[in-house]
Amino acid sequence: DIDAISMAGIPVRATPGVGGGFEIMPGFKLDKKVFTANDLSALLMGLSSLSNVVHGDEIIHTLSKVKSFIPAEQAEMIAVKANQIRIDLHPWMSNPHIRDYFSTITSALSDRHLLSFSYIGRKGALIERTIEPYQLVSKNGQWYVYGFCNLRKDYRLFKLSRIIDLRIEATSYTPKDFPAPRLTIDDLASPRPLTITLRIHKSLTEQLLDYCSFDRFTPDGDSHYLVSFPFIDQDYYYGILLSFGDKCECLAPDLVRKKLQEKILQLSERYRN
């Protein structure tokens, strides 16, 4: 081990006798040139973005350490580079309790303690869950905790906005290797994603570009586009289509078109009554 430290360029000396031992030579400092300007800019960028969401002494101390590596003559250049990209992990609107959950979850992750909470299911049912937490996940402006669920005996993603009464248990757990969470459409086992055809007014272009690229748009007259839109046959995705209002029409397939008709009629009846 001592040889490995020495080979890394850190001078170690040995002192024999009582009270002796090994130590790094007094006055030695790590060469600040080990990081390039681009390295330091990237580190500052990532840490600053994370510190806006997860508050803790560790991140503050790490930021201070990284800043201490910046040579005085490069400070201005590195500051400019670090400010060229800003990552804000907060959605425009969110549950005010979610920020409080961050510190609870990170504490549980650090100490390897179980988390318990009430979880609101897709149909509104409130179910008690206890999990071994493994990751805090940000996806599409939403935050999740990923862990092994003792109820389902499997790994699950839990959306923080659907969690109530989050608490750390006194019981600890032994961490184990865990599979990566499924975070893309391609990872979904069922239902499989499909492509539907939408006819939209051009004023909706900006909104649809949040979900698909412009190469899926084909002009249809002077004021409309035909769009090959990625879609999953679930209520959440029907809600996306309905949010586009009367400036969007689903032309195909018939299955999706008919389900939209049913949902629109149900909504109309709700307000008629």
Side-chain angles (χ1 to χ4, degrees), residues 41-59:
S41 299
L43 287 168
L44 288 173
M45 198 184 306
L47 288 169
S48 297
S49 301
L50 190 59
S51 66
N52 290 330
V53 178
V54 181
H55 301 284
D57 292 339
E58 295 89 349
I59 293 177

Side-chain angles (χ1 to χ4, degrees), residues 102-154:
F102 290 145
S103 58
T104 302
I105 293 170
T106 52
S107 293
L109 286 168
S110 177
D111 298 334
R112 299 299 185 187
H113 277 249
L114 299 178
L115 282 172
S116 293
F117 50 87
S118 300
Y119 195 66
I120 300 175
R122 292 191 179 278
K123 296 184 179 180
L126 205 61
I127 303 174
E128 287 297 315
R129 301 289 187 110
T130 299
I131 67 168
E132 298 175 3
Y134 285 100
Q135 285 184 336
L136 188 59
V137 178
S138 175
K139 173 71 175 179
N140 195 31
Q142 302 293 331
W143 283 92
Y144 303 80
V145 59
Y146 179 64
F148 184 82
C149 177
N150 289 345
L151 177 65
R152 302 301 185 200
K153 303 301 180 186
D154 199 3

Side-chain angles (χ1 to χ4, degrees), residues 156-182:
R156 291 285 192 273
L157 273 174
F158 297 94
K159 197 172 185 178
L160 298 197
S161 61
R162 290 162 60 182
I163 286 177
I164 298 174
D165 190 24
L166 179 66
R167 56 199 180 274
I168 299 178
E169 298 291 340
T171 306
S172 60
Y173 65 95
T174 302
K176 49 184 175 284
D177 292 336
F178 58 91
R182 297 188 295 184

Side-chain angles (χ1 to χ4, degrees), residues 5-56:
I5 294 172
S6 297
M7 289 175 65
I10 301 174
V12 177
R13 72 175 184 181
T15 303
V18 178
F22 294 96
E23 65 178 351
I24 295 175
M25 291 182 67
F28 172 77
K29 292 184 179 180
L30 186 64
D31 184 3
K32 296 183 179 182
K33 293 179 181 179
V34 71
F35 293 115
T36 66
N38 287 336
D39 292 336
L40 292 168
S41 299
L43 287 168
L44 288 173
M45 198 184 306
L47 288 169
S48 297
S49 301
L50 190 59
S51 66
N52 290 330
V53 178
V54 181
H55 301 284

